[in-house]
Amino acid sequence: MAAARRKRAPVAAGLLLVLLLLPFAAAPSRAATPARSPSTASSTALFQLQGDVYPTGHYTVTMNIGDPAKPYFLDVDTGSELTWLQCDAPCQSCNKVPHPWYRPTKNKLVACADSLCTALHNGQGADKKCPSPQQCDYRIKYTDNASSLGVLVTDSFTLPLRNSSNVRPSLTFGCGYDQQVGRNGAVQAATDGLLGLGKGSVSLLSQLKQLGITKNVLGHCLSSSGGGFLFFGDDVVPTSRVTWAPMARSTSGNYYSPGSAALYFDRRSLGVKAVEVVFDSGSTYTYFVAQHYQAVVSALKGGLSKSLTQVSDPSLPLCWKGQKSFKSVSDVKKEFKPLLLRFDNDKKDVMEIPPENYLIVTKNGNVCLGILDGSAAKLSFNVIGDITMQDQMVIYDNERGQLGWVRGSCSRSAKSLSFLP
């Protein structure tokens, strides 16, 4: 993942500890205030999503943080673990954002000795020493050279549960006072920060598990017509029709991966070596390593009729125009064949990728390939991004060590979906 959303790839982070000279005292503890009994571990927090793949380029969730609670729009990212807000601490380099910058109070700082500070530093392969024992400094750097620098803080999150009640735990996240993302301050950013839902212990999901509020399970359903939903917990996970693949240990980082997969086009093998696959909601589009990308492009071009002509479009690198402008992928999908990933596990699980999950139609009426060449980001694995995860529930079950996916409508509220139990 990275903060420049259209072409972002999973994080390749290196941690740099930088002292923030804040006149704050470290928070004495990270005690939760769930206001519920430990039995709430069976609860599920539900959130509506906003956004789309095109033209918005991301899906966001509104998180209410602080006391009193204030809303913040966060980019949903399963490719990284640290949640952070653009923060007035004071801000050294920040974007214009939808809401006022988050302002920490002096009792919110996380000390260097805190276990989550140690976990964050260890996860980034950095020196465990802090410039100041009173605070936990971080710098997260992404593959597109974007970065966030700040300190860890704690504050209350108001989480809506499926039973219509709320819970307000105190959770740890990043107060980012120096963001290097695009042209800082020159344009209005669409989000106030990032919701990190990766596998590490700093992830909000892991913290909720430790507090006994939800199980370490999350899922999202991204609608191709815009919006969708996100959940933490397991009591809305379907009991049937889900394809489950065991999580593999990622060779490239602490990512959600079902392992290596072979690539097929129209049910025929493309004859390329199987490579690792990573699920990343922080990537708008899907990225393939060079050999896989070139094989897909060659197969696609070989199957197109003469009614489509390659054309330049500012939206994506590879696009075609028809004899008349397209209004949706439905107008042109008959020209394209489905892709398929066959995972190298005992069950040989498959993920089908129909044209709707790798094409977009732009405002110019052209159809474009939403699979990009990962060479620029020096990726050694394939990234399944939002475009390919649309119109299906994708489940990240850290309790059982498995990833699941099942097709269904994502355009209604979470409680009314047809594939819920």
Side-chain angles (χ1 to χ4, degrees):
M1 57 72 66
R5 197 46 155 79
R6 190 182 82 80
K7 292 187 177 181
R8 70 188 228 178
V11 66
L15 197 69
L16 174 65
L17 304 183
V18 178
L19 178 62
L20 175 63
L21 299 177
L22 283 171
F24 294 166
S29 69
R30 201 174 59 253
T33 55
R36 291 176 63 85
S37 68
S39 64
T40 55
S42 62
S43 298
T44 290
L46 286 172
F47 309 88
Q48 291 298 131
L49 297 177
Q50 295 78 41
D52 53 45
V53 168
Y54 180 87
T56 306
H58 57 257
Y59 288 86
T60 61
V61 63
T62 301
M63 283 285 174
N64 293 296
I65 303 171
D67 186 11
K70 297 178 182 179
Y72 298 94
F73 298 158
L74 301 184
D75 193 349
V76 178
D77 184 14
T78 60
S80 66
E81 65 174 301
L82 180 66
T83 294
W84 55 265
L85 295 176
Q86 300 214 33
C87 184
D88 188 10
C91 183
Q92 294 181 11
S93 179
C94 294
N95 298 89
K96 297 175 182 178
V97 291
H99 299 98
W101 293 327
Y102 173 82
R103 287 186 62 87
T105 56
K106 62 182 180 181
N107 64 335
K108 300 298 184 183
L109 278 177
V110 172
C112 179
D114 190 281
S115 61
L116 288 185
C117 182
T118 301
L120 180 63
H121 291 178
N122 288 347
Q124 306 300 335
D127 194 315
K128 297 179 183 180
K129 296 179 180 179
C130 295
S132 168
Q134 283 77 37
Q135 62 192 47
C136 180
D137 303 272
Y138 71 86
R139 183 184 181 212
I140 304 294
K141 186 177 181 180
Y142 304 106
T143 53
D144 62 354
N145 294 319
S147 64
S148 175
L149 185 149
V151 293
L152 290 188
V153 296
T154 63
D155 212 335
S156 298
F157 282 63
T158 303
L159 307 179
L161 300 181
R162 192 187 184 198
N163 63 9
S164 299
S165 66
N166 289 328
V167 65
R168 299 188 69 244
S170 181
L171 301 174
T172 295
F173 60 99
C175 168
Y177 59 86
D178 187 351
Q179 271 63 239
Q180 300 300 321
V181 181
R183 295 180 299 162
N184 282 353
V187 294
Q188 175 77 33
T191 64
D192 299 292
L194 184 141
L195 179 64
L197 297 173
K199 295 170 66 175
S201 58
V202 181
S203 167
L204 293 194
L205 188 68
S206 297
Q207 294 183 55
L208 290 172
K209 163 70 174 182
Q210 288 296 316
L211 296 173
I213 296 173
T214 67
K215 291 186 178 177
N216 198 343
V217 178
L218 76 104
H220 54 68
C221 202
L222 312 177
S223 174
S224 59
S225 58
F229 72 91
L230 169 74
F231 63 86
F232 305 156
D234 68 347
D235 66 354
V236 297
V237 174
T239 56
S240 63
R241 300 196 300 114
V242 180
T243 298
W244 290 107
M247 286 186 192
R249 182 179 295 276
S250 174
T251 60
S252 306
N254 196 25
Y255 303 129
Y256 290 112
S257 172
S260 297
L263 183 61
Y264 293 74
F265 177 78
D266 196 22
R267 300 284 171 176
R268 299 190 304 272
S269 171
L270 287 177
V272 291
K273 181 182 177 181
V275 299
E276 181 182 358
V277 173
V278 166
F279 286 9
D280 181 12
S281 69
S283 181
T284 307
Y285 296 110
T286 288
Y287 289 76
F288 282 174
V289 297
Q291 187 181 24
H292 283 217
Y293 175 76
Q294 292 161 6
V296 167
V297 169
S298 178
L300 286 174
K301 288 182 175 180
L304 296 180
S305 71
K306 294 181 179 179
S307 65
L308 292 180
T309 304
Q310 190 169 330
V311 64
S312 176
D313 191 298
S315 301
L316 284 169
L318 183 57
C319 303
W320 298 269
K321 67 177 182 179
Q323 296 175 342
K324 60 180 182 179
S325 294
F326 301 117
K327 292 183 171 58
S328 71
V329 174
S330 298
D331 295 341
V332 70
K333 68 178 183 179
K334 66 180 185 299
E335 291 277 357
F336 295 85
K337 305 299 182 185
L339 295 167
L340 184 145
L341 293 172
R342 186 177 298 279
F343 292 96
D344 187 19
N345 56 36
D346 292 340
K347 297 188 297 178
K348 302 298 180 185
D349 294 306
V350 300
M351 171 176 276
E352 295 189 11
I353 309 176
E356 297 92 325
N357 285 113
Y358 67 78
L359 298 173
I360 66 164
V361 167
T362 72
K363 63 182 180 181
N364 299 315
N366 301 318
V367 62
C368 297
L369 179 63
I371 299 173
L372 303 180
D373 187 349
S375 298
K378 299 180 180 179
L379 294 178
S380 59
F381 51 91
N382 290 341
V383 176
I384 301 301
D386 292 344
I387 189 170
T388 302
M389 294 192 282
Q390 290 181 116
D391 298 324
Q392 52 189 327
M393 181 189 284
V394 179
I395 306 143
Y396 308 74
D397 186 344
N398 292 295
E399 299 283 347
R400 297 176 177 83
Q402 59 186 6
L403 295 165
W405 53 92
V406 56
R407 292 206 165 266
S409 171
C410 298
S411 59
R412 292 173 287 164
S413 70
K415 295 179 182 179
S416 64
L417 285 170
S418 59
F419 45 50
L420 293 184

